[in-house]
Amino acid sequence: MKNSIFVVVFFTALFAISFISAADTSITIQTLPEHDVDISVLKPTGAYDLIESFHKTSNSNGTVSVTFSATESEFYARIWVKKDNVIITYKKFEEGYPVGEPKTFEVYPEWYLK
């Protein structure tokens, strides 16, 4: 009897764990060319609950791409664009974006003309 209960519990736990897996999500940022871009990917809890952060430099077209992995169903993002360690612009994206689907964010200062 004890062995059968153990087997049932074991397979139930094994089955449940198989549903909890991380999904990869690609984020592309369109911003100013040749600027430092800090990206914080957050859990959608309302607090600063970090999943992962990235520190990249935009290319000559102003593009930065990163990929993160998360078990949550949604994420928020906060993005800083800097030059010489001075913040040029900062934007919060807190609409609950689905994990596993590619997302593009545009982060430009108000004065910039595309």
Side-chain angles (χ1 to χ4, degrees), residues 3-45:
N3 287 342
S4 64
I5 292 173
F6 174 74
V7 170
V8 169
V9 170
F10 175 76
F11 282 112
T12 303
L14 186 63
F15 183 71
I17 290 172
S18 67
F19 281 111
I20 303 172
S21 62
D24 289 343
T25 305
S26 299
I27 296 177
T28 302
I29 312 298
Q30 294 290 28
T31 191
L32 302 170
E34 308 295 336
H35 279 66
D36 298 323
V37 180
D38 294 344
I39 305 160
S40 291
V41 180
L42 308 166
K43 295 179 183 177
T45 59

Side-chain angles (χ1 to χ4, degrees), residues 41-51 76 78 92 94:
V41 180
L42 308 166
K43 295 179 183 177
T45 59
Y48 193 87
D49 197 356
L50 188 66
I51 296 172
Y76 292 169
R78 294 184 184 179
K92 294 181 182 181
E94 298 181 336

Side-chain angles (χ1 to χ4, degrees), residues 63-91:
T63 302
V64 174
S65 295
V66 297
T67 300
F68 72 94
S69 185
T71 57
E72 287 75 19
S73 61
E74 294 182 330
F75 72 95
Y76 292 169
R78 294 184 184 179
I79 302 166
W80 293 260
V81 177
K82 301 176 183 180
K83 189 67 170 181
D84 299 325
N85 213 23
V86 174
I87 297 173
I88 305 300
T89 189
Y90 163 70
K91 291 200 178 175

